[in-house]
């Protein structure tokens, strides 16, 4: 009886190798793979509740790393045993799925894939575990950390290494279409934390975008994940943090550096952001920009991608307060086709006129329109004029309605009106060189009836950002379009700023507006924005009178933008200025204009 039992007993399919050292002590670091009997081990548990073989199997799978031939044999045997892998064998399934397989031979990889496919079809309760294991492989290990991972070359190399993994996910999607809901859930759960090393986040992002090639029907959901985590990065590394890291106080002046060495290495170092999260964001943006370029130019799917990105913009970016770089994804895709830019601006203007939208979204949409018209080189002058006409008509109609009513003139009561007025003033001041280049253009500016706007009872100059108001006043006076300085002086007398020991507080009635396409501070991805980005060029009237000029807005960064454009003016942040007493209209007691960059169209004295 005992002899028969011993014959039927299966000890293990993985036996430790015992060296002939006389004491029979097995080596713990070496495993010898012998006869495979996964099916028999599971059957022993099911029929006789004998766990010895099953537990030894788990231990050896956990500690062993078989060669490719043995690896293939294990998974061929495991595939045959799939019908026996009930939920209580979850530990065995987890150990099998966790074995290293991506860097093995094609035959070994195929054996693993066949097992996973069979397991997902027959035992659906393991689908979540399976996808969790596969999605975690999207994060590259140190062994596949690639130089320049944020660029297209890095992504292509990573895609080559991950090709077998994506092939398996694609085959799973084909045989079990509903499994992609599980994939999306695991993609959200496994996305690396924004403080993880840059190559982890960038590698994972490359793989997520790769999935849109064979799962185009889920492109919207995949890009939803991409934009959500893009915003997580953007809001956690604001402009002020980047500027402090790139241009610390002790490096503001001339800095002694050693020259020589490898020029290529120096160039690569100069493209690396000093702040680690900013570097991650830079690589993230570069990968997204490259994906957009490949989709529009190579795949011919630009129109579909634009609609998806516009939807993501309205869902994620537009409602988010004070983002600095994420919105440039929209700026970049609009540069490929004029109709994209026109549709984008048109959708923003619809938001402005939609009473069902929140006041914050309507005001933010105005800021996007103004910033896009001012900064985008690809927006033609004729379209810019048409938008100025649209906005000025809206303002004049609003003034006519308000003149017939007697109600308060507070900022909150007319927030959208003041925002649209400021947008008009900003665009006219920023694009003055183009809008005053001919008599025809000057006649167009006169047709806007700017004087009626600035002299209305609501007095929009009273609440405009001082930089915008002062620059607009200089342009309109030079061409006799409106006379704003008298109004500015009267506004200044009515309400002076409060001066403290170390700071100056602007009047409360001042628009809290941001211009979303202020200068781009990231180095690698910024090279894609530069050709389409309009830096301010001082108007000849400004240069002659010395009144007001407009800078790129980079608070501490002349060094960065000197290499991008010779037209960039210095911008000295408030903390670096001499302490001036502000009079409330942007003029200090010495007659000079001061402005803090925080809300920022980029005007300065």
């Amino acid at each position: 009886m005992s002899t028969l039992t011993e014959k039927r007993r299966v000890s293990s399919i993985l036996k430790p190798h015992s060296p002939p050292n006389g004491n029979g002590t097995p080596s713990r670091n070496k495993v010898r793979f012998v006869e495979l009997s996964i099916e028999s081990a599971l059957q022993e548990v099911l029929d006789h509740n004998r766990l010895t073989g099953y537990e030894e199997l788990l231990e050896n799978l956990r500690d062993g790393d078989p060669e490719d031939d043995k690896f293939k044999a294990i998974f061929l045997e495991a595939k045959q045993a799939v019908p026996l892998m009930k939920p209580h064998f979850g530990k065995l399934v987890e150990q099998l799925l966790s074995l290293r397989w991506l860097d093995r031979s094609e035959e070994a990889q195929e054996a693993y894939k066949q097992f996973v496919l069979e397991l997902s079809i027959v035992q659906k309760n393991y689908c979540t575990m399976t996808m969790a294991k596969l999605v975690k492989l999207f994060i590259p290990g140190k062994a596949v950390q690639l130089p320049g991972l944020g660029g297209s070359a890095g992504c292509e190399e990573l895609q080559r290494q991950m090709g077998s993994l994506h092939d398996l996910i694609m085959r799973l999607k084909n045989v079990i279409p509903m499994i992609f809901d599980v994939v999306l859930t695991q993609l959200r759960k496994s996305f690396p934390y924004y403080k993880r090393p840059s190559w982890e986040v960038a590698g994972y992002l490359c793989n997520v975008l790769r999935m849109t090639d064979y799962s185009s029907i889920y492109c919207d959901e995949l890009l939803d994940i991409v934009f959500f985590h893009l915003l997580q990065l953007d809001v956690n590394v604001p402009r002020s943090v980047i500027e402090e890291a790139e241009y610390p106080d002790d490096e503001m002046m001339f800095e002694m550096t050693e020259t020589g060495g490898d020029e290529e290495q120096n160039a690569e170092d100069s493209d690396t952001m000093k702040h680690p999260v900013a570097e991650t964001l830079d690589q993230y943006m570069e990968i997204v920009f490259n994906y957009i370029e490949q989709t529009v130019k190579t795949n011919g799917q630009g129109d579909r991608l634009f609609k998806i990105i516009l939807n993501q913009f309205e869902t994620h970016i537009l409602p988010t307060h004070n983002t600095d770089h994420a919105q440039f994804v929209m700026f970049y895709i609009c540069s490929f086709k004029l109709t994209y830019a026109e549709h984008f601006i048109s959708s923003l203007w619809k938001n402005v006129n939609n009473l069902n939208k929140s006041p914050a979204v309507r005001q933010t949409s105005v800021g996007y329109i103004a910033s896009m018209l001012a900064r985008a080189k690809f927006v033609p002058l004729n379209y810019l004029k048409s938008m100025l006409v649209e906005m000025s008509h809206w303002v004049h109609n609003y003034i006519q309605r308000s003149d017939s009513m007697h109600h308060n003139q507070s900022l909150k009561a007319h927030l959208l009106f003041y925002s649209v007025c400021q947008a008009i003033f900003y665009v006219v001041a920023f694009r003055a060189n183009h809008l005053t280049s001919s008599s025809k253009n000057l006649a167009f500016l006169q047709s806007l009836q700017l004087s009626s706007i600035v002299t209305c009872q609501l007095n929009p100059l009273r609440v405009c950002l001082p930089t915008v108001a002062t620059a607009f006043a200089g342009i309109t006076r030079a061409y006799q379009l409106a006379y704003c300085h008298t109004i500015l002086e009267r506004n200044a007398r009515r309400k002076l700023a409060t001066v403290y020991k170390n700071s100056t507080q602007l009047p409360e009635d001042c628009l809290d507006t941001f211009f979303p396409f202020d200068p781009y501070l990231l180095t690698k991805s910024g090279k894609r924005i530069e050709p389409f980005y309009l830096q301010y060029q001082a108007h000849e009237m400004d240069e002659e009178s010395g009144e007001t000029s407009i800078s790129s807005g980079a608070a501490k960064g002349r060094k960065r933008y000197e290499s991008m454009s010779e037209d960039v003016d210095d911008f000295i942040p408030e903390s670096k200025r001499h302490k001036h007493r502000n009079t409330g209209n942007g003029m200090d007691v010495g007659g000079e204009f001061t402005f803090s960059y925080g809300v920022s169209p980029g005007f300065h004295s």
Side-chain angles (χ1 to χ4, degrees):
M1 184 68 178
S2 60
T3 304
L4 180 61
T5 302
E6 289 299 325
K7 289 183 179 180
R8 293 178 58 186
R9 184 186 299 271
V10 179
S11 60
S12 175
I13 66 165
L14 307 174
K15 291 185 176 180
H17 175 66
S18 299
N21 55 6
N23 55 14
T25 303
S27 172
R28 295 183 179 180
N29 296 326
K30 295 182 180 180
V31 177
R32 181 167 56 92
F33 293 84
V34 292
E35 181 184 356
L36 298 175
S37 55
I38 295 178
E39 185 174 2
S40 300
L42 298 180
Q43 198 68 51
E44 283 287 307
V45 177
L46 293 173
D47 294 344
H48 306 290
N49 199 27
R50 294 174 180 169
L51 301 177
T52 305
Y54 176 72
E55 291 175 351
E56 190 173 354
L57 172 62
L58 289 178
E59 181 179 355
N60 286 285
L61 283 174
R62 188 183 303 113
D63 298 337
D65 186 18
E67 296 180 355
D68 287 359
D69 292 340
K70 296 301 180 183
F71 181 91
K72 175 182 176 182
I74 289 172
F75 279 94
L76 289 176
E77 173 70 15
K79 180 184 176 182
Q80 299 300 320
V82 164
L84 301 177
M85 294 182 180
K86 302 302 179 182
H88 44 270
F89 292 124
K91 289 185 178 180
L92 173 62
V93 173
E94 183 178 7
Q95 289 299 325
L96 289 170
L97 292 174
S98 300
L99 287 178
R100 177 180 60 85
W101 67 280
L102 278 177
D103 55 350
R104 296 185 181 274
S105 65
E106 293 185 4
E107 294 80 6
Q109 290 184 19
E110 184 61 27
Y112 183 92
K113 293 178 185 179
Q114 290 295 331
F115 165 73
V116 171
L117 288 167
E118 186 74 12
L119 179 69
S120 301
I121 295 171
V122 177
Q123 304 287 354
K124 290 186 171 63
N125 53 291
Y126 290 119
C127 285
T128 300
M129 179 192 295
T130 300
M131 296 315 306
K133 294 292 184 182
L134 296 181
V135 167
K136 285 183 178 178
L137 295 175
F138 280 2
I139 302 176
K142 293 183 178 179
V144 295
Q145 184 179 359
L146 301 172
L149 184 60
S152 58
C155 273
E156 290 173 359
E157 176 65 16
L158 184 63
Q159 288 175 7
R160 185 191 65 79
Q161 295 183 8
M162 296 286 105
S164 187
L165 174 59
H166 286 285
D167 176 68
L168 175 55
I169 296 175
M170 180 176 62
R171 290 161 69 175
L172 283 168
K173 180 185 72 71
N174 292 338
V175 297
I176 312 175
M178 297 303 294
I179 202 174
F180 213 82
D181 293 334
V182 180
V183 175
L184 293 172
T185 300
Q186 294 303 320
L187 286 174
R188 293 185 178 95
K189 287 183 177 180
S190 301
F191 210 102
Y193 186 54
Y194 74 92
K195 289 186 178 180
R196 296 294 300 169
S198 298
W199 50 270
E200 286 191 11
V201 178
Y204 193 93
L205 174 63
C206 282
N207 282 296
V208 172
L209 293 176
R210 169 73 179 274
M211 298 181 75
T212 61
D213 294 341
Y214 55 84
S215 303
S216 58
I217 191 174
Y218 294 101
C219 186
D220 205 343
E221 289 82 358
L222 291 169
L223 289 182
D224 184 85
I225 298 172
V226 171
F227 274 84
F228 176 81
H229 289 278
L230 171 59
L231 282 175
Q232 293 291 318
L233 281 169
D234 198 5
V235 299
N236 281 286
V237 58
R239 180 182 297 272
S240 58
V241 173
I242 297 177
E243 290 166 347
E244 289 175 5
E246 294 297 312
Y247 309 103
D249 293 342
D250 57 349
E251 295 179 7
M252 286 295 294
M253 304 305 291
F254 297 102
E255 183 177 321
M256 298 297 292
T257 57
E258 295 183 1
T259 59
D262 190 353
E263 294 182 0
E264 183 176 350
Q265 181 64 36
N266 292 336
E268 182 178 347
D269 292 342
S270 65
D271 284 345
T272 301
M273 305 296 293
K274 295 179 181 179
H275 194 284
V277 180
E279 173 64 18
T280 301
L281 177 61
D282 194 10
Q283 292 190 21
Y284 201 109
M285 293 293 292
E286 170 64 18
I287 292 171
V288 173
F289 287 163
N290 181 69
Y291 171 77
I292 292 173
E293 181 182 17
Q294 294 298 318
T295 303
V296 174
K297 292 185 176 181
T298 305
N299 303 333
Q301 297 292 323
D303 293 350
R304 179 173 180 267
L305 180 63
F306 172 77
K307 292 178 181 178
I308 294 174
I309 292 181
L310 179 60
N311 179 61
Q312 294 299 323
F313 169 83
E314 293 178 344
T315 302
H316 292 294
I317 299 177
L318 185 60
T320 304
H321 179 65
N322 273 1
T323 57
D324 293 314
H325 296 93
Q327 59 266 24
F328 277 90
V329 174
M330 202 70 225
F331 186 95
Y332 184 68
I333 194 171
C334 286
S335 69
F336 286 95
K337 190 183 292 187
L338 176 59
T339 54
Y340 296 165
E342 292 177 349
H343 187 82
F344 174 55
I345 296 174
S346 176
S347 67
L348 292 169
W349 185 242
K350 288 179 181 178
N351 288 339
V352 175
N353 290 280
N354 188 350
L355 298 178
N356 294 322
K357 296 289 185 179
S358 68
V361 169
R362 297 174 74 186
Q363 183 189 10
T364 304
S365 297
V366 174
Y368 271 98
I369 293 173
S371 195
M372 189 75 168
L373 293 176
R375 293 290 190 176
K377 288 183 179 179
F378 47 80
V379 173
L381 186 60
N382 288 337
Y383 185 78
L384 184 148
K385 289 180 178 179
S386 67
M387 283 305 305
L388 284 176
V389 169
E390 192 83 17
M391 291 190 288
S392 64
H393 283 172
W394 187 94
V395 168
H396 286 300
N397 290 335
Y398 193 99
I399 293 173
Q400 291 176 2
R401 293 196 303 269
S402 64
D403 285 344
S404 61
M405 302 173 62
H406 298 282
H407 46 68
N408 68 66
Q409 299 180 7
S410 67
L411 175 61
K412 292 182 179 180
H414 306 280
L415 182 62
L416 188 61
F417 167 78
Y418 290 130
S419 298
V420 177
C421 289
Q422 180 173 259
I424 295 173
F425 302 159
Y426 176 70
V427 174
V428 169
F430 201 101
R431 299 295 292 269
N433 280 333
H434 302 89
L435 294 172
T436 61
S437 60
S438 65
S439 58
K440 182 179 179 180
N441 290 337
L442 285 173
F444 163 76
L445 288 178
Q446 291 174 352
S447 69
L448 298 180
Q449 301 179 19
L450 298 174
S451 180
S452 298
I453 297 175
V454 300
T455 58
C456 71
Q457 291 184 356
L458 294 175
N459 189 7
L461 289 175
R462 174 177 60 88
V463 298
C464 282
L465 296 177
T467 48
V468 177
T470 307
F472 174 76
I475 297 298
T476 54
R477 184 176 69 174
Y479 292 97
Q480 300 182 1
L481 299 171
Y483 295 95
C484 305
H485 286 86
T486 302
I487 300 174
L488 291 176
E489 292 172 1
R490 183 171 67 248
N491 292 338
R493 288 194 297 269
R494 286 180 177 178
K495 191 168 187 179
L496 298 177
T498 303
V499 180
Y500 294 94
K501 180 178 180 181
N502 296 319
S503 63
T504 301
Q505 179 177 329
L506 292 176
E508 294 180 0
D509 285 344
C510 186
L511 277 172
D512 182 15
T513 306
F514 90 113
F515 293 84
F517 298 120
D518 273 348
Y520 194 90
L521 300 182
L522 306 177
T523 51
K524 288 183 285 293
S525 54
K527 295 176 182 178
R528 292 180 180 267
I529 298 298
E530 178 187 353
F532 313 109
Y533 191 78
L534 184 63
Q535 302 286 0
Y536 177 75
Q537 296 178 352
H539 192 274
E540 58 182 2
M541 294 296 178
D542 291 340
E543 293 175 347
E544 292 175 2
S545 62
E547 285 182 352
T548 307
S549 62
I550 306 175
S551 79
S552 69
K556 299 180 183 179
R558 179 183 178 98
K559 288 185 283 186
R560 181 189 311 280
Y561 283 96
E562 279 181 342
S563 62
M564 297 174 62
S565 173
E566 295 180 357
D567 299 322
V568 179
D569 303 324
D570 283 325
F571 184 91
I572 304 176
E574 192 176 50
S575 61
K576 300 298 180 185
R577 296 178 186 271
H578 295 293
K579 298 298 185 295
H580 294 300
R581 288 181 295 165
N582 195 294
T583 62
N585 67 340
M587 304 293 293
D588 65 19
V589 295
E592 296 185 4
F593 179 77
T594 59
F595 178 69
S596 174
Y597 178 73
V599 285
S600 114
F603 298 94
H604 78 96
S605 60

